[in-house]
Amino acid sequence: MKDIQQLTTMLKTLEDQMTVCMHCGLCQSVCPLYTQTLNEADVARGKICLLGGLSSRMLDDVQGVKDRLDHCLMCGSCAANCPSGVNALEIFLKARVILTAYQGLSPARKMILRGALAHPRLFDRILELGAKSQSLFSQPASELLGTSCSEVMSPFIGKRHFTPLADVPFHKRCGSMDTPVGASGLKAAFYYGCLTDKIYPNIGDAVLKALRHHGVGVWMPIEQACCGIPALSSGDISSFKKLVRANLKAFGSRGFDALVTPCATCTSTIREFWPMFAAEFSDDEAADIRTLAAKTIDISAFLVNSGLISDNAKLSAGAATMTYHDPCHLKKSLKISVQPRRLLQSSPSCRFVEMNAADSCCGSGGSFNLLHYETSAAIGMRKRDNIVASGAATVTTSCPACMMQMTDMLSRRKDAVTVRHVIEVYAADLV
Amino acid sequence: MISKTLIREFETLLGAENVKTQEADCMAYAYDAAVLPPVMPSIVLRPSDSDALGKTIRLCNDNRLPVTVRGAGTNLSGGTIPSLGGVVLLTTGMNRILEINEADLYAVVQPGVVTAKFAAAVQAKGLFYPPDPGSQAVSTIAGNVAENAGGLRGLKYGVTKDYVMGMDFFDANGDLIKNGSKTVKCVTGFNLAGLMTASEGCFGVFNRIILKLVPPPAAQKAMMAVYDSEAGASQTVSDIISNKIVPCTLEILDNFTIRAVEDFAHAGLPTDAASLLLIEVDGHPAQVAEEAEKVETICRKNGCTRFQAAQSAEERNKVWEARRAALSALARLRPTTVLEDATVPRSQIPHMVRAINEVARKYSLTIGTFGHAGDGNLHPTILTDKRDKAEWLRVEKAIDDIFDAALSLGGTLSGEHGIGIAKSKYLAGEIGASSIEYCRKIKKAVDPNNILNPGKVLLS
């Protein structure tokens, strides 16, 4: 598509949603990016007006609008606080798809998304090779946090303190799994997600241990693929569709009560974004998408909502002080904030303390971190300051991507604070 | 078009990152919160100190560039929509609180300080800055002063102008003008700070503002009263005032708004109620208890069907939830929300409510009304779709009629949103041709090249 007339016609399909924006500007007060840059093009109101300007041909600079649209953490703070209920994330994702169809994908993204990510088995193999060779070009940065940094690679990765790839990915270690329903009477499909699989296999172990403990049967096909969010947020609808289809094939026909994930971003992608793009699929596929989406749930929410964790359990006053960071994709998108805290409070080893601004974004934003590291880190450092001020020895959360970002920030400041997934804390205390 | 040489001059002065000329950056400053078409500026400038601000204005004047000053861009009358091809001058780079003086009860701030952040900093020092416009989470102090913003506490505590003690501002030539003082009393020279308040960016550009602070009330009590007739609610408002009680907040919601809020927030409001009053008294605990008791008696005497007084901070929060949700609840019903602020003397509120309902019927429009019953400032909120041309014509006529009604009741066009572009055509109807001419002469004298927010307030 290179016809601007066609582009404006496509953008008009978003008009009903965009016109709901009153331009009141209240999104400025909650946007983590605006706080950092004070640029109006960074907030939802600014982006919606840019798209409106393009649609009405007040401006013709498509790439200029696309660059500003892409400069977004997709945290959903604006949508969660919008007085007139503008669904900013849906507008932005759909607009990214439209603008990418017009401008085309950059060669780098095309290589990563279409060349690798969209082919789950190939993607696995590339990262296995990476796991074997990473120690050749990096050195340990923090023993406590298990991070590395790399001078050789600094032109590509900057000053990052990164969590290295796991030696053996989770799916390879466990293989496909199908365990019978136990005391709970429930069967869960386990969607581990890329980061748990390739960087944090311990989270996967913890989920399995918790489910086993509560007598939940597990169905875990290792043919599952990425949830598609990296492709979708790059506007690459074709790779997104390939990945959704791979997952439908892996999970589609089996009977289970819930699709459980330990990743806030995967949860909200499957629950909210898959149905948002259902019209891109056949009717049968769309029906499967809706069924799967409705069953998708965060691991903490699953355990609490299913009544597996007693409401009367007494609050623990353990030895380890822990705080909790609300991932945007759980709290702002899915309104889940009580259940992970409930898990912590019923873990005997944990003494829970709230940090200030627990639900403010950590600045990761997925690929935003890769493309705008300095801005991402500036937002991350505010989160780090709040973690340290809480006095907690451990910060927990429900999203591996947030874990990587917080680990990087804490490691760079040499803080004696560890980063763990809520389910790791909970499962470690189970006997 | 702005020359490359001039752009380079701005870049040298402000730093390249504070000069934006790309179309996609300019488009993000082409609008404000008013329901008006966007207008593309050709450059966006963000000075970060006084010296740079003054020099920027001088450069604009020397080059005859129209300048629209912008804080958060929350203006509801189009005052921050730039001139075509003009300059947007951002105050957001100057956002420091310079001083909070607890001994002399004042604060000095830069123009771009966000209202709510300022109020919180003042509160942290044990003091109180009362003006609380609806946009306070993002609005800036300079924008509040330039519009003379109000809020929910106007009845007892007044509005922004009542807290402006003095200021420095740059005139159109970029020269610094000083006025007012950190003292309670000051009659040195003309009251230019008074002239600058509500000047809507037409007379100068704020550099520093001195604001009055007050001690906070020791206690407060929030109450809610439900009525099955509008007359009962209106009479209650009159009786509260005539009993010499001045609540800090006295808000009204009409039946349509009550239903919208209930659908949206499920706060347990009676959807068949004609009106809802939300009342808060504050002050010394003994006075608060006595006034709350009197308010309850007055509400019951006027036939309220339900009365509820908050017993805890949590319950107080719940009482105000209904009011906070009002605009959101209404805004979700139709794509376009036109929020008006016609204001009448308090005693005329029942007539104004009737007039608004009549307008809604006459033009077959949906209008929800809520607002500050205590100070006569209502917010008739027209719910529409600006893409529907026929309906939009009726909306424009309805707005004309609402202003006619407010003026015929001895009221005013705008209680707190300003004149800007949206209401300039109605101005003569309220103040007359000679008053407009007088304002034009002042404008001509202080801004001979007409660079400061041209076309706003006064029709050119």
Side-chain angles (χ1 to χ4, degrees), chain A residues 16 28 38 40 45 68 82, chain B residues 25 28 46 72-73 332 387:
Chain A
D16 280 346
Q28 288 169 19
L38 299 177
E40 178 89 27
R45 172 174 77 163
R68 282 153 191 81
C82 176
Chain B
D25 284 321
R46 180 163 58 200
R332 280 161 201 249
R387 295 169 297 177

Side-chain angles (χ1 to χ4, degrees), chain A residues 347-363:
Chain A
S347 300
S349 66
C350 166
R351 189 164 64 79
F352 179 70
V353 290
E354 279 291 352
M355 72 168 115
N356 191 24
D359 65 353
S360 72
C361 179
C362 69

Side-chain angles (χ1 to χ4, degrees), chain A residues 15-16 19-30 34-35 37-41 43 45-47 49-50 52-54 58-61 64-65 68 79 82-86, chain B residues 20 22-25 27-34 38-40 46 70-74 90 92-93 95 117 134-135 137-138 264 327-329 331-332 335-337 385-387:
Chain A
E15 195 183 85
D16 280 346
T19 194
V20 177
C21 173
M22 308 190 273
H23 305 171
C24 68
L26 284 186
C27 38
Q28 288 169 19
S29 69
V30 293
Y34 182 79
T35 316
T37 65
L38 299 177
N39 282 335
E40 178 89 27
V43 296
R45 172 174 77 163
K47 290 180 161 66
C49 287
L50 285 179
L54 205 53
M58 237 183 107
L59 77 169
D60 281 339
D61 180 9
V65 173
R68 282 153 191 81
C82 176
S84 44
V86 174
Chain B
K20 294 182 190 298
Q22 286 184 33
E23 226 185 4
D25 284 321
M27 181 75 214
Y29 297 96
Y31 52 82
D32 60 18
V39 179
M40 186 80 101
R46 180 163 58 200
R70 181 184 178 101
T74 54
L90 297 175
T92 49
N95 58 359
K117 286 188 179 159
S135 55
V138 291
F264 170 62
L327 183 59
S328 296
R332 280 161 201 249
T336 309
T337 307
D385 185 342
K386 64 186 170 198
R387 295 169 297 177

Side-chain angles (χ1 to χ4, degrees), chain B residues 336-373:
Chain B
T336 309
T337 307
V338 182
L339 181 65
E340 284 302 344
D341 68 326
T343 302
V344 293
R346 191 163 39 225
S347 59
Q348 301 301 313
I349 285 228
H351 302 288
M352 189 62 195
V353 170
R354 271 198 293 279
I356 293 167
N357 290 340
E358 181 47 40
V359 167
R361 261 192 303 277
K362 181 174 166 192
Y363 296 105
S364 314
L365 293 170
T366 309
I367 305 183
T369 300
F370 63 96
H372 321 302

Side-chain angles (χ1 to χ4, degrees), chain A residues 263-304:
Chain A
C263 175
T265 302
C266 297
T267 312
S268 79
T269 300
I270 302 174
R271 255 198 101 88
E272 305 218 294
F273 299 158
W274 284 17
M276 206 178 267
F277 287 87
E280 299 279 339
F281 294 84
S282 73
D283 288 353
D284 286 350
E285 286 171 329
D288 287 347
I289 284 172
R290 291 197 185 91
T291 310
L292 205 57
K295 284 185 180 180
T296 304
I297 185 166
D298 160 70
I299 177 68
S300 300
F302 172 74
L303 294 174
V304 173

